[in-house]
Amino acid sequence: MSDPNEEPQDVDFSYLEGGEDQQAAGIVRDVVLWYNTQLASENRSPVPDEERIEKLKAGREAALADQAQLVTADPPEAARIAAVYAARLKELNES
């Protein structure tokens, strides 16, 4: 996974509508959904990989914590979170 403190470059948010806070909330929700989908799939497998499940849970918890921070984030912080999570979602979808 990428470093959540690292600021990704060249992230395009043109497909998103609304302010930075709405964009960030949407992209973080997408990442949480990715983790939920992967957790459900892993739990349904004949022999669930407990190590992978723990990593998925940790990733989801980190995303949920960042999602909670959006409530009080100013526009620059919301934009930073959106950029980090857009890059993370791209990375997760490519893995």
Side-chain angles (χ1 to χ4, degrees):
M1 268 189 234
S2 62
D3 179 1
N5 297 317
E6 180 181 323
E7 295 199 22
Q9 304 297 316
D10 301 323
V11 178
D12 179 16
F13 294 108
S14 60
Y15 66 96
L16 297 172
E17 296 180 10
E20 280 88 3
D21 57 338
Q22 291 174 334
Q23 291 174 356
I27 199 73
V28 174
R29 262 192 311 272
D30 289 346
V31 170
V32 170
L33 178 61
W34 185 92
Y35 281 115
N36 287 339
T37 301
Q38 295 299 310
L39 278 164
S41 177
E42 192 62 46
N43 283 317
R44 283 191 306 266
S45 71
V47 182
D49 181 341
E50 294 301 323
E51 184 178 332
R52 182 166 190 258
I53 288 172
E54 289 307 312
K55 287 180 181 180
L56 291 168
K57 285 181 180 179
R60 180 181 64 185
E61 290 306 312
L64 289 170
D66 285 340
Q67 189 176 46
Q69 287 182 339
L70 286 171
V71 174
T72 58
D74 59 11
E77 178 64 7
R80 186 193 70 75
I81 291 171
V84 167
Y85 278 89
R88 181 169 299 159
L89 185 60
K90 181 179 179 187
E91 178 183 310
L92 291 170
N93 284 329
E94 292 174 352
S95 63

